[in-house]
Amino acid sequence: MKLATWNVNSLKVRLPQVVQWLTDNPVDVLCLQELKLDQPAFPVAEIEAAGYQSFWYGQKTYNGVALLVRAGARVEQVECGIPGYDDEQRRVIAATVDGVRIVCAYFVNGEAVDSPKYLYKLKWLSMMQEYVSSQLLRYPAFALLGDFNIAPDDRDVYDPLAWKDKVLCSEPERAAFTRLLALGLSDAFRLFEAEGGQYSWWDYRAAMFRRGLGVRIDHILLSAALRRRAVECTIDKTPRGWERPSDHAPVRVVLGPDNEVA
C-alpha cells in the first residue's frame, strides 16, 4: 500500500500537476491540503478520469483537505473535522481505506508566536492530540498525514539558529509533535533517514528552493501496526521544480503486506 501527502496550495491552480504526479506515482491514497476551493468546486470528474475516488472537505480561499483514493479500494467511515470541536476552518478529513484508518490534516500555521493565530494553533494542536488518541483506540492500523506546520527538530530546518523560537520551530509546537509520537506513532521519514538537510517546503522568495534552503514540515506518522509494514518513505522534490509549483513537495510512504496472523 502506498500513501502520500501533498499541500498543493490551490488545487484549482495545480490540478494538472496533481494528475501528472498521480500518473507518475500511482499511490493508493493521496492526502491533499490547502485546496482553496469551496465544496461544490471540487474537480470530481478530472480526478475520476485519473483513476481516483474523491472525498473532500472544501473551503473557499483558505484551508480545505481531500483524500484521493484509488478506484476500486474499499472506503468506509468518512469523517470531516474533529468531532466535538467547533472549528470554522476546514482542516481534517478521515476515512478507512482497505482496513487502514487515514487522517489527512492541514495543521494551523500560527503566523508568529506573538500572534492570536499562534494561540489558536496551540488550542488546535491540543484538540488534535485528543482526536488522534481516540482514533488509535478504534483503529490499530492508523496513519496521520499532512502539512503539520511543525519542524520537529533542528535537523529539519536549514538554519536552526535563525529559526530558533520562531513559529514552526517553537518549543510548544515541537512539544506537541512529540506528544503525538508518544501516543505510539512513528515519524515514517525518520525510520529511514536520520540525517538533516531533507526538506518538504521552500519559501517562494529568495530562490530558496534553488539554494536548498527549506524546512521539513510535511509528515506521515504511523501506528505500530503500520510501522512494521513500512518499506520506505521519501520526499519527492520533482514537482517543486515544475512551472508554477506548490511551495511544498509530496511525501510518500510504502507499506508492505500485513503478515500478522489474526
Side-chain angles (χ1 to χ4, degrees):
M1 190 176 200
K2 298 176 182 178
L3 312 176
T5 181
W6 191 5
N7 179 325
V8 291
N9 191 14
S10 174
L11 184 57
K12 180 179 180 180
V13 172
R14 286 168 191 105
L15 177 59
Q17 296 186 10
V18 169
V19 171
Q20 181 62 55
W21 193 82
L22 286 171
T23 299
D24 297 340
N25 303 270
V27 296
D28 296 283
V29 182
L30 175 59
C31 298
L32 300 178
Q33 303 88 43
E34 272 202 279
L35 303 181
K36 298 183 177 179
L37 289 176
D38 205 1
Q39 194 74 357
F42 194 88
V44 178
E46 292 88 340
I47 298 300
E48 285 184 351
Y52 285 80
Q53 308 171 63
S54 301
F55 305 89
W56 69 97
Y57 192 37
Q59 189 162 27
K60 188 176 181 179
T61 308
Y62 299 107
N63 309 316
V65 286
L67 296 169
L68 308 188
V69 181
R70 175 182 48 79
R74 186 177 78 258
V75 182
E76 303 170 294
Q77 299 161 312
V78 178
E79 183 176 70
C80 294
I82 298 175
Y85 181 32
D86 185 16
D87 185 6
E88 65 182 17
Q89 300 191 19
R90 298 184 171 187
R91 295 180 172 275
V92 179
I93 188 168
T96 303
V97 180
D98 288 339
V100 175
R101 187 62 171 176
I102 295 172
V103 175
C104 169
Y106 174 42
F107 284 49
V108 180
N109 176 277
E111 190 175 76
V113 294
D114 58 353
S115 165
K117 294 180 180 180
Y118 182 77
L119 297 179
Y120 164 55
K121 181 174 190 173
L122 297 183
K123 171 63 174 177
W124 192 93
L125 288 169
S126 175
M127 297 305 297
M128 173 57 73
Q129 173 85 10
E130 294 181 16
Y131 173 61
V132 171
S133 178
S134 67
Q135 291 281 293
L136 283 166
L137 291 174
R138 297 170 60 191
Y139 306 103
F142 174 89
L144 172 62
L145 304 90
D147 173 4
F148 283 49
N149 273 310
I150 300 172
D153 61 53
D154 285 351
R155 293 174 295 175
D156 302 308
V157 187
Y158 71 89
D159 187 342
L161 186 60
W163 281 87
K164 183 176 173 58
D165 298 325
K166 301 287 182 61
V167 71
L168 309 186
C169 299
S170 71
E171 187 280 330
E173 293 167 275
R174 287 179 165 178
F177 188 91
T178 299
R179 285 193 294 272
L180 284 173
L181 297 182
L183 293 175
L185 299 174
S186 296
D187 181 344
F189 187 75
R190 287 292 174 223
L191 296 177
F192 304 97
E193 178 60 69
E195 298 300 318
Q198 303 291 323
Y199 310 125
S200 64
W201 174 79
W202 301 261
D203 199 314
Y204 286 126
R205 298 169 292 184
M208 300 295 265
F209 178 67
R210 180 175 59 79
R211 297 164 61 199
L213 306 179
V215 181
R216 190 177 74 95
I217 55 176
D218 301 88
H219 307 296
I220 300 175
L221 303 189
L222 303 176
S223 66
L226 294 187
R227 172 179 175 152
R228 291 192 296 267
R229 296 169 54 186
V231 175
E232 67 173 356
C233 184
T234 55
I235 299 170
D236 183 1
K237 295 192 294 184
T238 302
R240 187 59 175 82
W242 291 346
E243 186 176 355
R244 297 187 72 197
S246 169
D247 44 356
H248 294 254
V251 181
R252 184 186 70 159
V253 68
V254 178
L255 304 175
D258 184 359
N259 295 321
E260 291 291 308
V261 177

